[in-house]
Amino acid sequence: MHVISESVKTVMEEEPLRPLVLGGDHSISYPVVRAVSEKLGGPVDILHLDAHPDIYDCFEGNTYSHASSFARIMEGGYARRLLQVGLRSITKEGREQGKRFGVEQYEMRTFSKDREKLENLKLGEGVKGVYVSVDVDCLDPAFAPGVSHIEPGGLSFRNVLNILQNLQGDVVAADVVEFNPQRDTVDGMTAMVAAKLVRELTAKISK
């Protein structure tokens, strides 16, 4: 994680480059966000698209696991606001941790009600910018089956495009994580979808 953080800081020293990091699992978000916040000198707002909240204090004895990255981010003070969108696999602890850190959690069961708000987000005012973290499993497996933790009932690709393209704010960094090529279709459908997400985020970050 130290290597990741230092690598991100090195990228940020090269104006006008901004880091767009590809996972790997979601554990990488903690060292990336930490580096971005430290380099910019303050917290960011985070838009986190995922089927899971990844905010558990500890998972399988590992406090730095893929399921705990956002707990470490919030504990470190690296984010002011954390919006989690696409959730549909969350436990009591996940909700309690969300309340503890003041996380804005949007579950898929209420997406039809929340959709207009989520497709017109304005983030980053009063902080150092916006960080976008996209776990490919935020998408319904009909669109992206090549992930390690398949959760039916997710976002459509169009939902995600609308959220990203309509987002108002200065996106200073982003990541795309959890694509698992071993579980993809033979024609690489999830790889194509992940590549499209990278393209959209590149456009969003570019000045």
Side-chain angles (χ1 to χ4, degrees), residues 85-155:
V85 180
L87 301 178
R88 54 197 185 276
S89 179
I90 181 171
T91 66
K92 180 181 179 181
E93 183 192 351
R95 293 189 179 94
E96 289 174 347
Q97 283 282 90
K99 290 177 182 177
R100 172 188 172 195
F101 294 119
V103 179
E104 299 162 61
Q105 294 179 327
Y106 295 93
E107 298 186 37
M108 284 306 299
R109 60 195 177 118
T110 60
F111 182 74
S112 59
K113 175 174 65 72
D114 301 328
R115 180 175 179 173
E116 184 175 354
K117 177 181 180 179
L118 296 173
E119 291 184 354
N120 293 280
L121 292 171
K122 189 173 185 179
L123 301 173
E125 290 186 340
V127 289
K128 297 299 182 178
V130 181
Y131 185 96
V132 179
S133 181
V134 180
D135 186 321
V136 178
D137 72 24
C138 72
L139 291 159
D140 190 274
F143 301 93
V147 297
S148 296
H149 306 285
I150 291 174
E151 299 288 350
L155 297 163

Side-chain angles (χ1 to χ4, degrees), residues 50-64:
D50 202 328
H52 316 89
D54 293 348
I55 201 167
Y56 300 101
D57 184 57
C58 184
F59 182 72
E60 295 182 344
N62 184 0
T63 56
Y64 295 99

Side-chain angles (χ1 to χ4, degrees), residues 2 13 17 31 38 57 69 83 95 151 168 176 199 202:
H2 176 73
E13 289 171 0
L17 296 183
E38 289 177 351
D57 184 57
S69 50
L83 284 75
R95 293 189 179 94
E151 299 288 350
Q168 297 181 57
V176 177
R199 183 190 67 177
T202 302

Side-chain angles (χ1 to χ4, degrees), residues 141-146 179 181-194:
F143 301 93
F179 165 53
Q182 293 180 329
R183 303 192 69 172
D184 204 0
T185 58
V186 290
D187 59 351
M189 181 171 75
T190 312
M192 180 272 293
V193 168

